[in-house]
Amino acid sequence: MTSPVPASPLETPRLRSLFLLCFKIGVLSFGGGLSGWLYKEFVLSKRWIDEEDFSSSLAISQMLPGANVVNLVICMGEQLRGPVGALACVLGFLVGPFFAVVGLCQLFDALAGYPLLPVISDGVAFAAMGLLIIMCVHGVRRAMRFPPSIITIAVTAILVGIFRFPLIPVACVIAPISVALAWRRI
């Protein structure tokens, strides 16, 4: 089963639409897995960005300092509407969670002794892990179209995940090799 490849967007999204979508995702998401949700909305549902552009933006956002998903919404907003689009996306994405975190901190302080609080937190975390698995499946499907990318993924995962090599040196060595392999494909 192949993943759907969205058509080009019919029109450039309005700034208000970018802000509201990022606001919705920012306010309704808990515990991670946001890359999966952003993929679902920007690529599959709205069809504002194609799969290749999303994957490139995700890779760039993971290499930059800061929170990956914040970097990702900035990249996608800039791609769709320039610097103003990046600003609309990042403000939409962060304004709701800012106030939610302040409110939740107050609530958690008030409920600190409640025995079900850790169970609820675990349930939310497991749901977020499911979204992360979906992103991994989409990434592997895409990578399978070019076998050297599977080798790159495997070597990186083994070096960092099993042998516990530091990520930055591994990425500095693997990234140029991966880029050279991808360049030869073009």
Side-chain angles (χ1 to χ4, degrees):
M1 179 177 185
T2 60
S3 61
V5 178
S8 298
L10 298 176
E11 60 187 48
T12 302
R14 298 174 59 200
L15 292 173
R16 180 176 186 261
S17 300
L18 289 172
F19 177 88
L20 290 175
L21 178 61
C22 290
F23 180 80
K24 177 180 89 171
I25 293 171
V27 168
L28 298 178
S29 59
F30 290 90
L34 293 175
S35 298
W37 195 347
L38 290 166
Y39 175 84
K40 179 185 170 293
E41 291 294 335
F42 277 79
V43 177
L44 300 178
S45 297
K46 302 292 184 187
R47 298 178 182 226
W48 288 338
I49 293 178
D50 66 27
E51 196 167 316
E52 292 290 323
D53 288 338
F54 181 87
S55 295
S56 296
S57 293
L58 181 61
I60 290 167
S61 68
Q62 290 174 336
M63 292 187 307
L64 296 172
N68 293 346
V69 292
V70 174
N71 294 341
L72 182 56
V73 297
I74 291 169
C75 286
M76 292 189 302
E78 198 283 328
Q79 181 180 354
L80 291 167
R81 292 295 306 263
V84 178
L87 185 62
C89 284
V90 77
L91 285 177
F93 193 70
L94 294 177
V95 72
F98 172 81
F99 290 108
V101 167
V102 171
L104 284 173
C105 285
Q106 296 296 316
L107 181 64
F108 281 152
D109 284 346
L111 299 175
Y114 187 62
L116 283 179
L117 190 60
V119 174
I120 293 168
S121 296
D122 285 348
V124 171
F126 295 148
M129 286 181 218
L131 291 173
L132 184 58
I133 289 170
I134 290 170
M135 279 302 301
C136 290
V137 168
H138 283 288
V140 168
R141 281 185 185 159
R142 181 174 175 262
M144 291 183 80
R145 293 185 231 150
F146 185 61
S149 62
I150 295 290
I151 295 166
T152 303
I153 292 168
V155 168
T156 305
I158 290 167
L159 291 175
V160 175
I162 296 173
F163 293 124
R164 303 284 185 211
F165 284 21
L167 176 62
I168 300 217
V170 169
C172 287
V173 171
I174 298 286
I177 296 168
S178 180
V179 168
L181 290 170
W183 186 273
R184 289 187 63 199
R185 181 175 76 166
I186 297 174

